[in-house]
Amino acid sequence: MAVDVDLGARSYTVHFQSLASVPELLSRASSGRSPGRCLLVSDENVAAHYRSPLVQGLRDAGWTVRPVVLPPGESTKSASHLHTLYDEALEWGIDRDTPVLALGGGVVGDLAGFAAATLLRGVPLVQLPTSLLAQVDASVGGKTAINHATGKNLIGAFYQPALVCADPATLDTLPMREYTSGMAEVVKHALIQAPALFAHLEAHLVPVMTRTDRAVVADVIERAVQVKADVVSADEREEGRRAILNFGHTFAHALERAAGYGAFTHGEAVALGMRAGLYLSHRRHPQALDRDRLDHVVDAIPIPGRPEDVAFEDLYAAMASDKKNRGDTIRFVLLRALGEAYVTDDVSEEEARRAWAYACAS
Ligand code: GLY
């Protein structure tokens, strides 16, 4: 099973295979060059499960591996941990062919990705995503970044990986809350561009959300990655179409910021944001959108916590300062029908307030 991201000279494949196949995939992607050094970046949680067999497999295939294990959590996406990677790589003496392998969730992928983009002006990046969020979204499309005191992902680069290997078995060790949160991005991909995937999710909602049918989950993930690959292939640097991947994210980023990072997972915030987005979409296109049907799937993502405790004024202020805005307007992604998303700034503060009240009432 595989999905291709079609970007000319920067094209690559997302493989859905065991991590045991990484040495072989790596040798194929490095067009026959003999194995040399590679830097393997992970966090403490992921390393405990997956690092040793991967390191062993790479060494058996002739690679000299330097593992770097970082603390887990969003605060690792910092300039100081980026410098740790620079020091590890440069003091060891990497060259331009030395791959950086990012084994972990979005934090490891974004940080190691930015290190790979900037070390020696770019070394090969291999994304080995182990969270659902990273498998269906963050590892595909080349967004890499670290955070700054003034906001998330403010320092970064578009830098495509040389290959992605998403091992479905790694989802088994994911805490349930992280798993269902990751499903928010899957639902988003279905809503913005894949009516057939949406119908499939609808038909298998319980096994998908409870992780009880591996084959169904694997199929859903591959189809969600296909959406991401298609969107990125059409607009690598978010000059147009790629912005639709931000459906639900105007509210979501604002909630994460206004509630304090960590109060809600990114996926939970996206699920709430999608409810608000569906409210706004339905007001504009009532004939084309069956809101109850769409809400039903979004509502399958559990939301612990009380989003209604965040004052709308704080939420709106955070929305107004989002880096994705252009000029003074706030950009929203809405649907004109299931699978047809577009970007607009034509939403008043009062309407956003009503949409948010609707989202919180779920
Ligand atoms: N996660 C949004 C994007 O990759 O564009």
Side-chain angles (χ1 to χ4, degrees), residues 1 16 168 213-223:
M1 290 206 303
F16 302 95
D213 187 329
R214 257 199 183 189
V216 170
V217 170
D219 180 45
V220 157
I221 291 174
E222 186 174 354
R223 289 162 79 163

Side-chain angles (χ1 to χ4, degrees), residues 6 33 43 68-69 127 160 169 174 238 253 278 341 353 361:
D6 193 1
R33 261 195 312 274
D43 73 26
V68 184
V69 181
Q127 291 281 12
Q160 301 296 339
L174 212 57
E238 200 168 321
H253 288 148
L278 289 176
R353 182 193 300 276

Side-chain angles (χ1 to χ4, degrees), residues 137 140 143 188 228 238 242 245-246:
D137 193 11
V140 180
K143 283 190 177 176
K188 180 200 75 182
K228 175 95 194 224
E238 200 168 321
R242 184 165 178 168
L245 293 170
N246 295 316

Side-chain angles (χ1 to χ4, degrees), residues 194-211:
L197 172 57
F198 188 86
H200 193 70
L201 284 170
E202 217 173 6
H204 300 93
L205 203 52
V206 174
V208 166
M209 291 297 171
T210 54
R211 204 167 43 176

